[in-house]
Amino acid sequence: MAGFRTLDDVNVAGKTVLVRVDLNVPMKDGRVTDDLRISRILPTLHELSRKGARVVVLSHFGRPDGKPVPEMSLKPVAAALATALGSSIAFADDCVGDVAKQAIGKLKPGGVVLLENTRFHAGEEKNDPALAKQMAALGDIFVNDAFSCAHRAHVSTEALAHLLPAYAGRNMEVELQHLEAALIAPEKPVAALIGGAKVSTKLELLGNLLGKVDKIIIGGGMANTFLFAQGREVGKSLCEKNLADTARDILRDAVARGCSIILPDDVVVARELKAGAPSKVVPAERVPADQMILDIGPVAAARLGTVLADCKTLVWNGPLGAFETPPFDAGTVTVARTAAALTASGRLLSVAGGGDTVAALRHAGVAEEFSYVSTAGGAFLEWLEGKALPGVAALAAPQPAAA
Ligand code: 3PG
Ligand code: MG
């Protein structure tokens, strides 16, 4: 991996290692409802433990806004982490100061302690040097295994990498390897499938992708804005009419750069977004005035199958329709399964991530069949936008001397 060091480059035996992970996991009634992020950090935690490090786990949880909020304690997550690790772990009620020091002091080599939510301190999100100094004083080495937090320049994601010898954890490494394979040095042709509700949230991303991929497939609510920009009526559909000019600029830029933008040929419409609502398929230029577009149609889904069959690499972000409300999941499910089948036959490298995407692929039953599914939401989007992620950049910065 270019530019920074990994766990292959350090001897952690007997060292106290601060490991930033992302335990910002979905919870309901005190239980973790999706353990993808937990399962992805196990290789790093097991490796550090096996090699005899004292493992000090740091994470945020939710957005407590710089003060302790009991509902945002990481304590319930500690139980889930211990189960996943297959060994008991300690928990400390603070991520700095005496409470943290004492808990770390009790660790044996190989032992693991999870510290309380880093965002309980206002300095965390401000990347405050004083808090950074306090946190850095707890350990000898910093390992960042939280790609999904790398778009945040916070103490535990950024500042620590300048104060301690810093290394990428295994999860960070794997995320970056796959993202590089998908966009930095991909096998061509490359398609980006970009769905989701609004063009306004994906303008930068589309601008960046135009220069990098051969085809951009647009679906979801944002396709409506493009259809409208091309002079089509979209009835009651979600549509950002004020962005019609911007959408036309994007379409023009795409032509200039030799990137084809693919919009749905046909769409599924209904009077309301409701499970089982009566719906019909119409050509994209014949959306009735009293109806809304809620999915791509079967002709569009079949065409996307052909497009993907001609590509070697796919980056997928966002659903193609209102997939949480059947029958408007059909387009997303069909195309996701096509991508999974092409991946299984070795013809396509498929990388997905961001927001609703994992949920959509799970719904289609193919999340395990993609080449790689990122655990990142916002960080995946910023990466697609071509932005430098502070958490990654800090790992590549000149390092303090080894402890
Ligand atoms: C995420 O869930 O996207 C990460 O954990 C980052 O959380 P944040 O958006 O609250 O910074
Ligand atoms: Mg987020």
Side-chain angles (χ1 to χ4, degrees):
M1 183 81 23
F4 53 80
R5 302 183 292 181
T6 73
L7 296 185
D8 294 329
D9 305 311
V10 60
N11 178 5
V12 297
K15 299 273 168 45
T16 299
V17 181
L18 305 185
V19 193
R20 177 53 154 105
V21 298
D22 189 358
L23 291 174
N24 191 28
V25 292
M27 305 259 298
K28 202 169 172 230
D29 303 327
R31 301 189 86 83
V32 175
T33 55
D34 177 344
D35 66 355
L36 180 69
R37 284 181 172 171
I38 293 183
S39 64
R40 291 283 178 86
I41 59 173
L42 296 178
T44 293
L45 299 182
H46 278 141
E47 180 172 346
L48 290 171
S49 181
R50 192 178 62 242
K51 289 180 169 170
R54 291 180 175 80
V55 185
V56 180
V57 181
L58 294 165
S59 179
H60 77 285
F61 182 74
R63 292 177 177 170
D65 219 10
K67 52 191 179 313
V69 175
E71 301 75 57
M72 294 184 197
S73 171
L74 274 171
K75 201 160 190 177
V77 184
L81 181 59
T83 306
L85 275 170
S87 58
S88 65
I89 66 171
F91 181 78
D93 287 320
D94 200 350
C95 65
V96 285
D98 290 341
V99 173
K101 276 189 206 143
Q102 277 161 21
I104 295 167
K106 286 188 199 147
L107 285 182
K108 300 200 167 55
V112 179
V113 61
L114 172 62
L115 306 186
E116 185 56 287
N117 195 341
T118 51
R119 290 189 186 170
F120 282 1
H121 289 267
E124 162 73 339
E125 293 185 61
K126 298 193 179 105
N127 212 6
D128 171 45
L131 183 70
K133 217 171 141 193
Q134 271 187 293
M135 217 180 269
L138 299 174
D140 309 308
I141 288 168
F142 175 59
V143 171
N144 190 343
D145 214 23
F147 174 77
S148 50
C149 304
H151 57 320
R152 308 293 182 210
H154 295 172
V155 164
S156 65
T157 60
E158 207 274 342
L160 284 184
H162 301 294
L163 297 177
L164 292 172
Y167 300 85
R170 298 303 183 195
N171 179 45
M172 175 71 88
E173 245 189 291
V174 169
E175 290 265 8
L176 291 171
Q177 272 161 5
H178 283 94
L179 297 184
E180 280 195 18
L183 223 49
I184 313 282
E187 255 201 271
K188 285 174 160 285
V190 187
L193 185 156
I194 307 298
K198 291 186 169 174
V199 178
S200 50
T201 58
K202 304 219 169 155
L203 283 174
E204 285 186 65
L205 182 158
L206 290 171
N208 183 47
L209 290 179
L210 280 180
K212 295 225 158 89
V213 306
D214 305 290
K215 296 162 201 272
I216 300 182
I217 297 162
I218 298 184
M222 53 188 283
N224 307 341
T225 303
F226 281 91
L227 293 173
F228 176 78
Q230 291 182 325
R232 291 159 185 189
E233 290 305 327
V234 294
K236 291 197 308 174
S237 307
L238 178 74
C239 178
E240 292 172 284
K241 295 189 173 166
N242 59 325
L243 289 180
D245 281 341
T246 309
R248 280 189 286 270
D249 287 346
I250 291 173
L251 292 167
R252 250 194 314 272
D253 267 11
V255 174
R257 288 164 164 247
C259 169
S260 48
I261 292 201
I262 300 160
L263 294 166
D265 317 89
D266 61 343
V267 291
V268 180
V269 296
R271 285 206 167 76
E272 56 180 341
L273 172 56
K274 210 173 113 191
S279 63
K280 61 180 179 185
V281 175
V282 297
E285 55 280 343
R286 290 229 296 277
V287 176
D290 63 342
Q291 310 225 356
M292 57 180 84
I293 301 171
L294 293 170
D295 195 9
I296 62 166
V299 172
R303 177 166 168 226
L304 295 186
T306 314
V307 168
L308 295 184
D310 285 340
C311 287
K312 292 263 169 43
T313 305
L314 168 67
V315 181
W316 181 314
N317 168 256
L320 291 170
F323 79 96
E324 282 136 323
T325 315
F328 310 111
D329 56 340
T332 302
V333 168
T334 304
V335 179
R337 289 186 181 159
T338 303
L342 289 166
T343 305
S345 64
R347 294 165 59 192
L348 187 71
L349 177 95
S350 52
V351 174
D356 275 351
T357 312
V358 182
L361 298 184
R362 283 225 175 99
H363 177 78
V366 298
E368 308 297 321
E369 289 159 53
F370 268 54
S371 310
Y372 190 69
V373 175
S374 173
T375 62
F380 189 85
L381 290 180
E382 290 200 21
W383 183 83
L384 286 184
E385 287 167 3
K387 290 189 181 146
L389 304 180
V392 175
L395 288 176
Q399 296 287 308

